[in-house]
Amino acid sequence: MSINKLWLKMALVSVLTAAAGIIVAAWLIHNATTSGFGQYLQHVAGMNQMMGGNVNGMMGVNETAYLDSVGRSLWIAGGIAVVVAVLIAIFFSRQITAPLRRLSSAVGKVAQGDLSCRVPTGSADEVGTLSNTFNCMVESLDQNQESRRKLMGDLAHEMSTPLSVIQANLEGMLDGVVDKSKETISSLHQESLLLSRLVNDLRTLAQAEAGRLNLLLVPNDLGELVSSVVLATKAEAEVKHISLSLQVEPKLPLAMIDPDRVSQVVSNLLSNALRYSSEGDSISVSVGKDNASGTRGGDLLVSVADTGQGISKEDLPHIFDRYFRGAQKNEKRVGGSGIGLTVVKELVEAHNGKVWVTSAESKGSKFLFTLPAVISV
């Protein structure tokens, strides 16, 4: 019959170890006692003979009974010791495995979808470390689940707005209420582009999470690519009365990039900057060599800086986290799905680059990322 209880296995091992030690000790003590007692009798017999006595030095009935009594006492003491060892082993084995039983119960609850359970950690040993790790894992899962739920609501809101605009205008055109003017069609086109960008971000994030984010790397003029994205964004910036400028360092080496993916990165950063900037603010984009100390040579640096509302100290460490949406200034939501910056991070790191941000609340933000350049041999 197999034993499927850890505490029982530990208790059995402890009992067998104690029993083996007691049996060996009892056997050695019994042999030593018999041999020593025999030698003692021979010594006494020799002394009596020297004094004229008549003792033969052999063990008689009394001596044998004495040795048997000693042997029985040893085995009784050994049996009592085994029983005590069994009780102690069971007690301490159950105490040691109690945290593991609680952990097993908590794992079962998590498997059923209950992410609110936590395991108490009262020790600093390996079991306590395991419990702490489990609690951190469940906390992360709980936060991720909550973020996903918020994301679903945010995505529904973000997608419903342009869809409602497109639907209302199309219905108006069919009913003859809305003019089929160039301005109206242009407005619908902008709404469709918003939906397209959101869908692309979702697809990119899904590919990154599944490990299927494939890049078509080719040598490309990074300055020219960023210029085209900035040019395409100028119209939106002008509508919001936000100044948009670009500075490209001359004679830059080509970058080994996927042009479509990098265009998505720059577009997301510009969209984010426009979203959190107000009328009269400015956005400046620059492309140049990465001359910062401690970085590997051959990298190109792109920065997107704005003078908008900035990012709070609490939100700054989480700004690239999946599905993270920071608190909006004055409780006013300005849109965004919470995945644009995550997509930026995934795409930049897929190019073996790095991305980071510096920001001060009410003073603006500056997003920077590096990309590898083509190193001529």
Side-chain angles (χ1 to χ4, degrees), residues 105-333:
S105 175
V107 169
K109 293 179 181 178
V110 171
Q112 295 175 359
D114 181 10
L115 298 180
S116 62
C117 62
R118 300 292 185 272
V119 178
T121 55
S123 62
D125 55 11
E126 289 82 355
V127 177
T129 302
L130 179 61
S131 299
N132 280 325
T133 304
F134 172 81
N135 289 338
C136 292
M137 180 196 70
V138 176
E139 183 70 24
S140 177
L141 288 174
D142 193 19
Q143 292 177 357
N144 197 29
Q145 187 73 8
E146 181 64 24
S147 298
R148 285 178 182 271
R149 284 194 290 267
K150 290 182 179 179
L151 174 66
M152 292 301 103
D154 293 337
L155 286 177
H157 173 73
E158 291 296 318
M159 298 182 75
S160 65
T161 300
L163 283 174
S164 299
V165 172
I166 294 173
Q167 181 180 353
N169 279 275
L170 290 176
E171 289 176 352
M173 290 179 182
L174 291 174
D175 296 337
V177 178
V178 178
D179 294 332
K180 301 176 183 178
S181 62
K182 182 178 180 181
E183 291 76 12
T184 303
I185 296 176
S186 176
S187 175
L188 295 179
H189 181 250
Q190 289 298 322
E191 297 295 339
S192 67
L193 289 178
L194 176 61
L195 280 175
S196 177
R197 184 165 60 242
L198 181 58
V199 171
N200 286 336
D201 284 347
L202 286 172
R203 183 186 298 113
T204 301
L205 186 57
Q207 290 173 344
E209 289 183 336
R212 297 197 297 267
L213 188 59
N214 298 321
L215 301 179
L216 300 176
L217 300 177
V218 294
N220 198 280
D221 188 333
L222 183 60
E224 184 177 327
L225 185 146
V226 173
S227 298
S228 64
V229 178
V230 171
L231 182 61
T233 313
K234 267 191 177 296
E236 184 180 355
E238 289 174 355
V239 170
K240 295 184 176 181
H241 302 287
I242 296 173
S243 172
L244 179 58
S245 61
L246 171 66
Q247 182 179 2
V248 179
E249 185 177 323
K251 298 181 180 180
L252 288 175
L254 297 179
M256 184 61 69
I257 57 176
D258 184 327
D260 292 335
R261 298 299 194 182
V262 174
S263 295
Q264 189 176 359
V265 169
V266 179
S267 178
N268 281 1
L269 290 178
L270 285 174
S271 175
N272 187 74
L274 287 170
R275 184 179 299 118
Y276 292 96
S277 298
S278 304
E279 183 177 344
D281 287 332
S282 62
I283 300 174
S284 58
V285 182
S286 67
V287 184
K289 294 180 180 178
D290 182 16
N291 297 318
S293 59
T295 61
R296 67 183 188 277
D299 282 356
L300 299 180
L301 177 67
V302 180
S303 71
V304 178
D306 64 74
T307 59
Q309 70 181 54
I311 305 169
S312 67
K313 292 182 179 179
E314 294 76 15
D315 293 342
L316 196 59
H318 309 286
I319 201 66
F320 293 107
D321 292 353
R322 278 174 170 79
Y323 320 121
F324 177 77
R325 293 187 66 175
Q328 305 298 323
K329 190 175 181 181
N330 299 324
E331 302 301 324
K332 181 182 179 181
R333 299 192 70 85

Side-chain angles (χ1 to χ4, degrees), residues 343-374:
V343 170
V344 167
K345 181 175 183 293
E346 294 287 351
L347 291 177
V348 170
E349 291 182 350
H351 282 83
N352 294 321
K354 62 178 182 178
V355 59
W356 67 99
V357 58
T358 59
S359 182
E361 199 166 2
S362 301
K363 295 183 179 180
S365 305
K366 185 176 184 180
F367 287 85
L368 307 98
F369 67 92
T370 59
L371 293 172
V374 178

Side-chain angles (χ1 to χ4, degrees), residues 56-73:
N56 59 12
M58 300 295 293
M59 288 191 293
V61 177
N62 293 332
E63 288 79 6
T64 303
Y66 170 74
L67 289 176
D68 290 341
S69 175
V70 171
R72 283 194 300 272
S73 298

